[in-house]
Amino acid sequence: MNKYKNTGNRVLVAVLLLLAGQLLFAQKVVRYELYVKDSLVTYAGKEKRAIAVNGQIPMPALTFTEGDTAEIVVHNQLKESTSLHWHGVFLPNKEDGVPWLTQRPIEPGATYTYRFPIIQHGTHWYHSHSGMQEQIGM
């Protein structure tokens, strides 16, 4: 009976050490600065309004590793409010990016920091959840 009790304790200690090691070495804060700004694009010879983030359409890819903490700082340089919604990402409700439901809109000239743990892997997408901003590049 004692040899099974000792084996169980050893397994428990091994599991705890493994988990502690992952917490110590795998977690890091990955920070992105996103500048949301009006832009113009030309389609079929006609100039149209678009919204660029960091000067590009579509918005830049954000890369994280499971176990990271995402820190995304959004600088709203538009003349209207904006927000970002994260599709398929498990995160705290307050970081979901739906204006007036899970967060206040990011007002013109304001900065908002989304911060949440990355607890899954895979490919996901993000977009504005304000007005028709998604349809014009964001």
Side-chain angles (χ1 to χ4, degrees), residues 27-32 62 64 67-74 84 86 89-97 103 106 112-119:
Q27 291 184 343
K28 64 182 179 202
V29 174
V30 178
R31 181 182 174 103
Y32 287 94
L62 309 178
F64 304 95
D68 289 346
T69 296
E71 188 172 271
I72 301 122
V73 182
V74 179
L84 288 179
W86 316 93
V89 179
F90 300 139
L91 42 67
N93 193 50
K94 70 182 184 71
E95 304 295 353
D96 191 47
Q103 78 169 71
I106 307 168
Y112 181 82
T113 301
Y114 293 92
R115 187 177 172 92
F116 50 88
I118 304 297
I119 60 172

Side-chain angles (χ1 to χ4, degrees), residues 41 47 50 65 70 74 79 101 129 135 137:
V41 294
E47 228 174 38
T65 300
V74 179
K79 294 178 182 171
L101 183 61
H129 224 279
Q135 289 75 8

Side-chain angles (χ1 to χ4, degrees), residues 25-111:
F25 300 111
Q27 291 184 343
K28 64 182 179 202
V29 174
V30 178
R31 181 182 174 103
Y32 287 94
E33 301 271 341
L34 301 180
Y35 294 86
V36 181
K37 191 173 181 179
D38 270 312
S39 178
L40 292 174
V41 294
T42 302
Y43 289 111
K46 294 183 180 184
E47 228 174 38
K48 299 284 182 188
R49 176 184 181 235
I51 298 176
V53 175
N54 293 1
Q56 68 183 68
I57 301 170
M59 295 189 285
L62 309 178
T63 304
F64 304 95
T65 300
E66 191 172 347
D68 289 346
T69 296
E71 188 172 271
I72 301 122
V73 182
V74 179
H75 304 273
N76 184 5
Q77 298 178 329
L78 299 171
K79 294 178 182 171
E80 62 187 276
S81 63
T82 193
S83 63
L84 288 179
H85 176 66
W86 316 93
H87 265 269
V89 179
F90 300 139
L91 42 67
N93 193 50
K94 70 182 184 71
E95 304 295 353
D96 191 47
V98 180
W100 299 116
L101 183 61
T102 60
Q103 78 169 71
R104 295 183 64 193
I106 307 168
E107 295 298 331
T111 297

